[in-house]
């Protein structure tokens, strides 16, 4: 059995190592999601994932990629990528990285073939090993909160000290420091960050999103 090695990655992992935060946008309103992506980017979050759990995610990704007002260095990716066709569509739309909820061989193969990094979901040691061997740029521990949180991450990392882990799933603001202390390269935050702004693009909702983004970014960078 070959040893575990971490393949060379594109700049998304460098950004995550610096900012330690990935924003995850999920919803069914492309207008709201596009507005959220803009607010998050202008709040300083450079890695923004738009999930493909609905058609709105891909449309919002296309619009956000075309938005010349986004700060330079904003990295837009596609999440909940389940199939090769979705991977190709996301890359064609401008995704700089792909994110999966589990070990999906065809998505990893497409990412490797097109030199687009894949943050691959895994929950167990066997899944983490499979993700790395198939070319994952990083392992996304998901759903982190449901399996023991930071303590589980610490235990999982023990046999894989060189594998970059990103913790995602139910991470509240007060949890960020614990996950980073447990060895996460970064944390991914979805609904605790997005809340009502996934469907409400009013000024009040977007201002509240900006405030939450600033708080999460400050917590993530505190010990960077």
């Amino acid at each position: 059995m070959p040893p575990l090695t971490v393949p060379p990655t594109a700049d998304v992992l460098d950004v995550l190592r610096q900012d330690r935060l990935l924003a995850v946008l999920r919803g069914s309103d492309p207008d709201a999601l596009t507005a959220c992506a803009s607010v998050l980017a202008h709040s300083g979050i450079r890695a923004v994932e738009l999930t493909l759990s609905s058609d709105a995610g891909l449309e919002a990704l296309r619009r956000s990629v075309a938005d010349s007002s986004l700060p330079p260095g904003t990295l837009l990716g596609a999440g909940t990528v389940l199939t090769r066709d979705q991977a190709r569509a996301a890359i064609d739309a401008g995704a700089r990285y792909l994110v999966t909820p589990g070990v999906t061989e065809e998505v990893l193969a497409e990412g490797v073939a097109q030199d687009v990094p894949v943050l691959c979901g895994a929950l167990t040691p066997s899944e983490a090993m499979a993700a790395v061997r198939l070319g994952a740029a990083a392992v996304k521990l998901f759903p982190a909160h449901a399996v023991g949180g930071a303590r589980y991450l610490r235990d999982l990392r023990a046999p894989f000290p060189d594998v970059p882990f990103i913790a995602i799933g139910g991470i509240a603001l007060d949890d960020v420091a614990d996950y980073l202390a447990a060895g996460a390269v970064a944390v991914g935050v979805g609904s605790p960050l997005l809340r009502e702004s996934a469907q409400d693009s009013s000024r009040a909702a977007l201002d509240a999103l900006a405030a939450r983004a600033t708080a999460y970014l400050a917590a993530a960078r505190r010990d960077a």
Side-chain angles (χ1 to χ4, degrees), residues 98-220:
L98 307 175
V99 188
T100 70
V103 180
T104 311
E105 293 189 26
E106 61 187 271
V107 173
L108 283 157
E110 190 66 25
V112 170
Q114 297 209 40
D115 197 27
V116 174
V118 179
L119 314 181
C120 180
L123 193 60
T124 67
S126 295
E127 291 172 348
M129 292 169 69
V132 173
R133 287 204 182 91
L134 290 167
V139 173
K140 181 185 85 168
L141 176 61
F142 174 80
H145 177 73
V147 294
R151 180 177 178 179
Y152 179 75
L153 172 62
R154 192 184 303 276
D155 290 343
L156 183 61
R157 280 194 68 251
F160 310 122
D162 298 324
V163 174
F165 281 90
I166 301 165
I168 298 182
I171 298 178
L173 182 61
D174 291 342
D175 298 328
V176 172
D178 289 340
Y179 280 101
L180 298 180
V185 167
V187 296
V189 186
S191 55
L193 174 62
L194 208 56
R195 298 188 191 176
E196 71 282 353
S197 59
Q199 301 295 334
D200 181 0
S201 55
S202 67
R203 187 71 264 161
L206 295 178
D207 285 347
L209 174 62
R212 290 191 296 273
T214 299
Y216 265 101
L217 196 54

Side-chain angles (χ1 to χ4, degrees), residues 19-43:
D19 293 355
R20 314 192 77 180
L21 182 64
L22 170 67
V24 181
L25 306 189
R26 186 186 308 276
S28 58
D29 183 338
D31 294 332
L33 292 177
T34 304
C36 288
S38 178
V39 166
L40 293 172
H42 284 97
S43 296

